[in-house]
Amino acid sequence: MHLNSELLFKKYALSHFHPHTKVLEVGPDAHPTTYQRIVNDPTLGWETLDINPSSHSTYLAKSDYAFPLHDESFDVVISGQTIEHVKKIWIWIKEVARVCKRGGIVITINPV
């Protein structure tokens, strides 16, 4: 995790995490994830999705563009250091938005 990404998260994203929020992190870096440790709220339903098989991910995506999740499942969808690896961002972001609840928030962070 890039230090700049942590700083951006703390400055712009941290305030969007409220108790009992259902969160999906796309492309987690660890278990628990860096963002999850920063938020440090055990009431959150924090789930993860990755394209690479991992015993720590909640869900395994079949591709960058097909998540095995129902529409409008999460209050917050976050990804860090992921978008720069996606070839067709315009398709990927539609899938990210699809699993975010209406009125929810999508947060993407990438190193600058």
Side-chain angles (χ1 to χ4, degrees), residues 27-28 49-57 59-61 64:
L49 174 116
D50 207 338
I51 194 166
N52 298 312
S54 166
S55 61
H56 300 299
S57 291
Y59 305 101
L60 178 63
D64 290 346

Side-chain angles (χ1 to χ4, degrees), residues 26-96:
V26 179
D29 67 339
H31 181 75
T33 74
T34 300
Y35 299 133
Q36 187 177 11
R37 288 192 306 264
I38 292 170
V39 173
N40 193 28
D41 183 344
T43 71
L44 297 177
W46 200 289
E47 300 180 15
T48 56
L49 174 116
D50 207 338
I51 194 166
N52 298 312
S54 166
S55 61
H56 300 299
S57 291
T58 311
Y59 305 101
L60 178 63
K62 296 177 184 175
S63 77
D64 290 346
Y65 317 108
F67 301 167
L69 303 165
H70 295 290
D71 295 355
E72 298 188 34
S73 297
F74 297 91
D75 301 298
V76 176
V77 180
I78 181 167
S79 81
Q81 290 66 244
T82 302
I83 198 168
E84 67 270 22
H85 300 284
V86 177
K87 293 178 183 172
K88 297 177 182 175
I89 296 168
W90 59 95
I91 298 172
W92 178 83
I93 200 67
K94 286 181 182 179
E95 187 68 354
V96 169

Side-chain angles (χ1 to χ4, degrees), residues 1-17 24-29 34-36 38-39 46 76-86 92-93 96 105-112:
M1 174 77 60
H2 301 274
L3 175 58
N4 189 51
S5 295
E6 289 184 39
L7 295 172
L8 288 169
F9 179 82
K10 289 175 182 176
K11 183 173 182 176
Y12 297 107
L14 189 55
S15 64
H16 296 287
F17 293 84
L24 176 67
E25 184 170 346
V26 179
D29 67 339
T34 300
Y35 299 133
Q36 187 177 11
I38 292 170
V39 173
W46 200 289
V76 176
V77 180
I78 181 167
S79 81
Q81 290 66 244
T82 302
I83 198 168
E84 67 270 22
H85 300 284
V86 177
W92 178 83
I93 200 67
V96 169
I105 187 164
V106 171
I107 301 167
T108 59
I109 300 173
N110 65 301
V112 291

